[in-house]
Amino acid sequence: MIRIKCPYCGERDHSEFTYGGDASIRYPALDASREDWTQAIFFRENIRGFQKETWHHLNGCRMWLEIERSTVTHEIKSVKPCHPDLQKIMDSKK
Amino acid sequence: MTRFNAWNVFKNGLNGQKGWSRQWRDPEPRSNYDVIIVGGGLHGLATAYYLAKNHNLNNIAVLEKGWIGGGNAGRNTTIVRSNYMMPGNHQFYEHSLKLWENLSHDLNYNVMFSQRVHVSLFHSPGAKDSYARRYNIMRLNGTDGELWDLKKLKKKIPILNYNNARFPIMGAAVQPRAGNARHDSAVWGYARSANALGVDIIQNCEVTGITRQNGNIDSLQTSKGSIKGKKIGFAVAGNTSRLWQMAQLGNLPIESHKLQAFVTEAIKPFLDHVVVYGVGGAHFYISQTDKGSLVFGGDLDWYKSYAQRGNLPIVQDVAEAAMAILPSIGRLRLLRHWAGIMDMSMDGTFFICKTPISNLYLNAGWNYGGFKASPASGWYFADLIANEQPHKYIQHHHLERFEQGINLDERGAGPDPKLHG
C-alpha cells in the first residue's frame, strides 16, 4: 500500500485515492495546432523515476493533489494541492 | 539441434538420454548484424524466427537484458483468444490464433496449446446484446464465436456461482477455439527454432546507449560492447519509452502500468475452460494449468509504475471477484503473485510500425494482450522489417493514427491508458 499524506486529511492509504495521471501536461490554447493538441492528449514522457502526477482524494476530502512519486520505488517526495489558492487558505488557517 | 520425434525419444531412452544437445547456443555478440531485435521476450524471439524462416535473413541478433522470457513472457496468464472486432485487429489476432494452432508442429516443440474454450460471462441483457454484436462481427470475419444460454452454461461449467451471486449469471459469450498455452514452452520453442536458423540469442546484454549517425542508428551500446546493426527493431514492452528516449525520439503514446497475476496451490482437475467475469467494476479471468494450479488475474494497479511487484488493494479486488463467481475456491492458498509492466497505449491497441528513424522499427503497446499476439506480432513485425512496407492488416497500427483521428479503441475508453484493460 502506498501511504499518501493528504494536506487536509493526513496520511491515508492510496486506495482512498484515484490516480489522475501526468501532472506536467499543459493543454495548449484552443486554437493551437493539431500537432500540439495531439502531443498534449496522447503523448507521454512515461518517466521511470520521480514524476509529478495528480491524485484525487475521492474517498476523502475530494481534493486534487499534485504528488511527486517514484514510479520505480513508489516513494513519495512531496504532496500539495493542485490548486495554489487551496494551499494559501490552508496556510492562513495554521 | 536434435529434433524431437518418436525415434529420438526411443533412441535416447536406450542410451541414458545422452544424445540431446543444447537447445540453443549462448554466443558472444558479433560486431555487425543485418537485424538486431532488442528484447528477448516472445515478440522479439518470434520476430527473429520469422525473419529467418519467412524472409531468409540469417545475420540476426536478439539482445535481452536479463534471460529470455524473464519479462512479461513469464508474467502473464497465458490466455490465447481472438475475440476482437476493430478492422485490422480481428484479422491480426485471428491469424495469431491460427499460428498458435500449428505452433507446436512448426517449432518442433510442444507449446501445450490447449483450445479449451474461452467463456466470457454476461449478467445483463445489455451485456448480452453487446457481446452478441461483438461475436457476430467476429463470425462475419470468419472467427468462431457463439452465445451460450444459462442452461448450456450450467451443463458445461457447473461449479460457477449460480445461486446467490450479487450479479446473477445470464449466459456467456464463447470462443471455442480459444484457450491457453504454456508460456515458457513458447519462449523456448521460438528460441530453439530461431537459433537453429542461425539467430544469435544474446542474454544478459542490456542496451545502455544508442549512437546515431546521419539520422540513422549506427550502433547500440550494450553491456557487452558496441554492436552495429543495419536495421534495429524494438520489442521491449513496458520499457519502450526508455529506449525511445535513448534514441532521442521524444514521447510515445504509451504509459507503463503494472498488472498482477496469481497462482494457487495445485488441485485436481476442476476448471476445464478459461472463464472471464467482468461486471460492476470487477474484472477477473481464470484457468487451470496442467499442473493443477489455478492461474488468474484482474485489473491493473490503477497507477503508473515500473515496479514488477503488485500492491495489496488489487489482491483484495481479485480475491473478491474470485469469491463472487467461484466461491468453492475460497479455501485455496495462493502460492505466489507477481506483476508485469504493461505498455498501455492511448487507445488500447498495439503499434507495429516504422519510426522517424529510417532503420528503426517499433513493436509496442500490447496492453493486456501481448501473450496471445506474439506469433502474429513476430510474423508482421518481421514482414515490416524485411519488406519496409506494413501489411494491410497493420496499416493503421502506427504512431500517427492519433493525429489522423483513426484510433483503434476496442473498448471506446478514450485516451487514458489505464482504462484499456
Side-chain angles (χ1 to χ4, degrees), chain B residues 303-321:
Chain B
Y303 55 87
K304 212 194 97 181
S305 174
Y306 280 91
Q308 284 179 311
R309 59 180 188 281
N311 217 328
L312 291 172
I314 293 295
V315 178
Q316 186 175 349
D317 277 4
V318 170
E320 283 169 358

Side-chain angles (χ1 to χ4, degrees), chain B residues 2 44 62 67 167 192 211 256 259 269 287 299 319 326 359 392 404:
Chain B
T2 318
V62 176
W67 63 92
F167 298 100
R192 176 173 173 269
T211 309
S256 296
L259 177 62
S287 64
D299 276 317
L326 278 168
N359 68 338
K392 64 178 179 193
Q404 294 169 2

Side-chain angles (χ1 to χ4, degrees), chain B residues 38-239:
Chain B
V38 184
L42 270 166
H43 293 253
L45 293 166
T47 305
Y49 172 65
Y50 292 119
L51 275 169
K53 186 188 168 216
N54 296 353
H55 306 285
N56 293 321
L57 295 170
N58 53 21
N59 191 19
I60 304 167
V62 176
L63 309 185
E64 166 55 46
K65 73 173 171 183
W67 63 92
I68 57 166
N72 290 348
R75 294 167 180 270
N76 57 78
T77 46
T78 74
I79 296 169
V80 177
R81 57 185 169 87
S82 66
N83 53 349
Y84 285 75
M85 65 179 185
M86 300 292 287
N89 279 358
H90 59 76
Q91 293 99 331
F92 176 89
Y93 285 105
E94 178 59 19
H95 187 202
S96 203
L97 182 57
K98 284 182 176 148
L99 289 170
W100 275 109
E101 283 174 331
N102 197 40
L103 200 58
S104 294
H105 295 284
D106 187 26
L107 299 177
N108 181 234
Y109 203 93
N110 186 2
V111 300
M112 298 163 73
F113 182 47
S114 157
Q115 292 177 291
R116 59 180 61 185
V117 184
H118 182 272
V119 179
S120 301
L121 307 177
F122 53 75
H123 308 259
S124 69
K128 183 183 179 181
D129 289 349
S130 162
Y131 269 124
R133 170 173 175 258
R134 180 158 145 196
Y135 279 60
N136 273 328
I137 292 172
M138 286 156 57
R139 286 170 71 103
L140 287 170
N141 287 299
T143 300
D144 60 325
E146 43 191 68
L147 291 183
W148 286 359
D149 60 13
L150 195 55
K151 194 175 156 213
K152 182 161 185 188
L153 184 64
K154 277 182 175 169
K155 190 163 170 258
K156 294 279 189 184
I157 316 179
I159 52 171
L160 298 176
N161 182 5
Y162 297 106
N163 298 326
N164 56 356
R166 167 71 181 78
F167 298 100
I169 301 168
M170 286 184 64
V174 175
Q175 189 182 14
R177 283 163 60 242
N180 57 9
R182 169 87 189 153
H183 56 282
D184 285 332
S185 287
V187 171
W188 298 332
Y190 270 122
R192 176 173 173 269
S193 298
N195 172 76
L197 295 170
V199 173
D200 279 0
I201 296 163
I202 300 157
Q203 303 185 84
N204 301 310
C205 181
E206 181 172 1
V207 173
T208 53
I210 292 168
T211 309
R212 286 177 63 172
Q213 206 173 43
N214 306 327
N216 283 356
I217 292 183
D218 175 65
S219 59
L220 301 176
Q221 312 312 315
T222 75
S223 50
K224 293 194 171 185
S226 173
I227 308 172
K228 276 181 193 283
K230 287 192 190 119
K231 294 182 176 184
I232 315 282
F234 287 169
V236 294
N239 287 305

Side-chain angles (χ1 to χ4, degrees), chain B residues 161-372:
Chain B
N161 182 5
Y162 297 106
N163 298 326
N164 56 356
R166 167 71 181 78
F167 298 100
I169 301 168
M170 286 184 64
V174 175
Q175 189 182 14
R177 283 163 60 242
N180 57 9
R182 169 87 189 153
H183 56 282
D184 285 332
S185 287
V187 171
W188 298 332
Y190 270 122
R192 176 173 173 269
S193 298
N195 172 76
L197 295 170
V199 173
D200 279 0
I201 296 163
I202 300 157
Q203 303 185 84
N204 301 310
C205 181
E206 181 172 1
V207 173
T208 53
I210 292 168
T211 309
R212 286 177 63 172
Q213 206 173 43
N214 306 327
N216 283 356
I217 292 183
D218 175 65
S219 59
L220 301 176
Q221 312 312 315
T222 75
S223 50
K224 293 194 171 185
S226 173
I227 308 172
K228 276 181 193 283
K230 287 192 190 119
K231 294 182 176 184
I232 315 282
F234 287 169
V236 294
N239 287 305
T240 305
S241 296
R242 295 172 65 203
L243 271 183
W244 198 250
Q245 280 147 17
M246 231 182 252
Q248 295 150 22
L249 286 169
N251 295 350
L252 276 174
I254 289 175
E255 269 188 14
S256 296
H257 285 257
K258 62 189 157 90
L259 177 62
Q260 303 190 46
F262 307 83
V263 174
T264 69
E265 58 193 319
I267 53 173
K268 286 185 176 178
F270 167 77
L271 188 62
D272 299 331
H273 306 76
V274 177
V275 176
V276 182
Y277 164 63
V279 66
H283 188 193
F284 181 70
Y285 34 94
I286 185 167
S287 64
Q288 188 170 21
T289 68
D290 293 330
K291 209 158 57 179
S293 300
L294 299 175
V295 179
F296 51 88
D299 276 317
L300 295 169
D301 273 22
W302 298 126
Y303 55 87
K304 212 194 97 181
S305 174
Y306 280 91
Q308 284 179 311
R309 59 180 188 281
N311 217 328
L312 291 172
I314 293 295
V315 178
Q316 186 175 349
D317 277 4
V318 170
E320 283 169 358
M323 289 306 289
I325 207 69
L326 278 168
S328 50
I329 66 171
R331 299 293 294 273
L332 283 182
R333 284 163 295 191
L334 283 181
L335 286 189
R336 55 187 181 275
H337 77 112
W338 62 86
I341 308 304
M342 309 293 111
D343 35 344
M344 302 299 292
S345 71
M346 278 291 178
D347 60 357
T349 296
F350 61 89
F351 308 102
I352 294 180
C353 60
K354 297 175 130 185
T355 69
I357 299 178
S358 66
N359 68 338
L360 175 68
Y361 306 81
L362 179 68
N363 175 324
W366 292 98
N367 296 271
Y368 275 43
F371 179 74
K372 64 176 166 294

